[in-house]
Amino acid sequence: MWTKKHNYDLSGQNTFGMKVSCACYVEYDSASDIRDIIASEELPRPFFHIGGGSNLLFTRDYEGTVLHSAIRFIRIISDGDMPLVEVGAGVVFDDFCAWAASEGLWGPENLSLIPGEVGAGAVQNIGAYGVEAGDVIKEVRCISLEDGSERTFHNGRTSADVEDECRYGYRDSIFKSPEMKGRQAVTSVVFALSREKRPQLRYGHIKTLFPETGPDSPVQVREAIIGVRREKLPDPAEKGSAGSFFKNPVISEEHFRRIEADVRTREGDERQVPHYVVEGGIKVPAAWLIESCGFKGMCRGNVAVYHKQPLVIVNETGKASPDEVLSLEHDIIAGVEERFGITLSPEVEHL
Ligand code: EPU
């Protein structure tokens, strides 16, 4: 079944809380609905598919149709030590994490409390605390928004014997590529989980949250991760945001050395520049770059740079306009560029 609403207010459909609307809003709960929707000539084009609206900045009213999936189910499709679990695209990602942990299944526990839904999580390759969705996804089932055909995208990261069709990278996938973007609606995602103990504790200080012997259950990890997130990140129910606003940039080793030298001379202290060696160069936390430029905690009109995590721009008063966010974004990019010669790219999709 699907429902449509004209001139729909999207404030409740984006965690930033931008007061924008769309010409039409359609919610559906089965894969076959998608075929009816794309055949319907009365729905204004273009279509834009959202999930939980937690990684989006609507910069103006949308003149087409916004689609949203209410396909919600979780089922074990093959059991054993490594169960395969199929999850509907409209399931809240954290509800899936809570379910998996309560079943004693390892895999998505580090992704606990990330806002958003399962379909969008597979598109965005959401990640936190050393784990990405692409580490636990086996396949992504989709329907083409162009011709209604079904297609399953296999993930080479979790199955060595298949072609890597999902092409997962840092907050990236085939679904975000220019040739595929907006063309497929995810209907469900199949996750490869584990009954065998498999904690992922490499990120930051996560390991220190547990005794020497490590956590006993995925519930324990989930609870620890929730604690860390609540400590650092704004609760979208209380303060609007879209999580990390920028991606962590990767720069050349030579560029990194220049920054290190610059910090040493300008600060006159022994401050280390945090960094991680990754494929293609050195990743420097955008949070550190933004903080070093003095933006942390900055409040301007109705928007602010979150005081505990400067990678997050918040709708401080609940009344922020898209222009206020865009103006702060512009100034952060310009400030970091001028000081460090690094051009930050937004992680949040602008529409
Ligand atoms: N840092 C600062 N100042 C701060 C906060 C952090 O300098 O106020 C520096 C520190 O050096 C710290 C480093 O940034 O060690 C990393 O901080 P954090 O662990 O908070 O992670 P992040 O790189 O800033 C990324 C993700 C988050 C995810 C965390 C934890 C991106 C764009 N963001 O942030 O994801 O929760 O790691 O894994 O990769 C999101 O995507 O919306 C999101 C919140």
Side-chain angles (χ1 to χ4, degrees):
M1 204 185 78
W2 58 283
T3 54
K4 64 171 189 282
K5 288 172 185 155
H6 291 282
N7 297 322
Y8 187 75
D9 173 12
L10 290 167
S11 325
Q13 256 60 45
N14 72 101
T15 58
F16 234 132
M18 291 296 127
K19 300 216 175 348
V20 287
S21 64
C22 58
C24 192
Y25 180 78
V26 166
E27 192 163 80
Y28 62 89
D29 64 9
S30 75
S32 66
D33 288 339
I34 299 173
R35 296 196 185 94
D36 296 342
I37 291 164
I38 59 177
S40 165
E41 282 170 14
E42 52 166 325
L43 296 175
R45 272 35 176 195
F47 290 143
F48 181 72
H49 207 303
I50 61 167
S54 53
N55 199 47
L56 274 180
L57 174 65
F58 281 104
T59 57
R60 57 189 138 93
D61 291 339
Y62 188 69
E63 73 276 17
T65 299
V66 170
L67 304 176
H68 183 240
S69 168
I71 302 178
R72 298 192 185 104
F73 65 86
I74 300 180
R75 67 172 165 250
I76 296 177
I77 54 175
S78 122
D79 214 343
D81 287 345
M82 302 282 290
L84 295 181
V85 178
E86 186 180 8
V87 186
V91 170
V92 170
F93 202 93
D94 188 55
D95 289 350
F96 161 60
C97 294
W99 174 87
S102 69
E103 294 283 317
L105 296 172
W106 295 84
E109 61 281 355
N110 291 34
L111 306 176
S112 292
L113 217 62
I114 295 184
E117 293 167 4
V118 166
V123 170
Q124 171 69 0
N125 190 20
I126 54 173
Y129 307 105
V131 174
E132 291 180 346
D135 297 332
V136 282
I137 288 173
K138 184 167 166 58
E139 57 193 47
V140 182
R141 299 182 178 174
C142 299
I143 290 200
S144 162
L145 286 171
E146 287 170 337
D147 62 14
S149 59
E150 284 178 35
R151 183 167 167 194
T152 295
F153 291 79
H154 300 277
N155 178 10
R157 220 192 247 188
T158 53
S159 319
D161 55 342
V162 297
E163 196 194 324
D164 183 21
E165 294 164 311
C166 292
R167 288 203 246 133
Y168 282 125
Y170 172 56
R171 300 293 196 273
D172 200 19
S173 72
I174 182 81
F175 309 106
K176 293 180 79 176
S177 66
E179 66 272 21
M180 195 65 82
K181 196 170 164 13
R183 298 197 168 160
Q184 301 282 336
V186 177
T187 51
S188 69
V189 178
V190 176
F191 292 90
L193 306 181
S194 168
R195 288 196 190 279
E196 235 170 73
K197 186 163 157 178
R198 266 207 199 162
Q200 304 285 334
L201 308 175
R202 289 153 303 171
Y203 189 92
H205 72 297
I206 298 296
K207 204 175 176 164
T208 64
L209 303 173
F210 304 100
E212 193 78 354
T213 50
D216 292 327
S217 71
V219 170
Q220 251 184 331
V221 178
R222 173 174 167 75
E223 281 167 1
I225 295 286
I226 287 176
V228 173
R229 285 190 79 92
R230 289 223 164 106
E231 185 59 36
K232 283 193 162 184
L233 295 165
D235 177 353
E238 280 165 25
K239 200 165 273 189
S241 87
S244 298
F245 198 94
F246 299 99
K247 288 187 193 172
N248 286 327
V250 175
I251 57 175
S252 68
E253 185 160 350
E254 190 250 320
H255 192 167
F256 175 71
R257 298 280 165 237
R258 268 190 282 134
I259 289 174
E260 268 193 324
D262 170 75
V263 167
R264 231 171 281 133
T265 46
R266 283 174 72 163
E267 310 288 343
D269 65 23
E270 289 305 300
R271 220 157 52 114
Q272 299 290 312
V273 184
H275 63 282
Y276 319 89
V277 178
V278 294
E279 217 184 286
I282 311 271
K283 190 178 263 196
V284 184
W288 186 88
L289 298 169
I290 297 167
E291 180 173 355
S292 300
C293 292
F295 288 106
K296 188 171 179 172
M298 178 186 279
C299 191
R300 205 199 270 171
N302 296 298
V303 293
V305 178
Y306 195 55
H307 63 290
K308 291 186 192 167
Q309 170 46 293
L311 200 47
V312 180
I313 294 179
V314 291
N315 184 348
E316 186 64 28
T317 61
K319 293 183 187 140
S321 68
D323 282 349
E324 284 180 296
V325 179
L326 290 173
S327 153
L328 185 57
E329 170 188 4
H330 172 270
D331 290 357
I332 292 172
I333 292 175
V336 170
E337 209 161 52
E338 195 191 326
R339 166 84 202 267
F340 295 108
I342 296 174
T343 309
L344 293 179
S345 329
E347 200 238 344
V348 168
E349 179 167 9
H350 292 46
L351 200 67

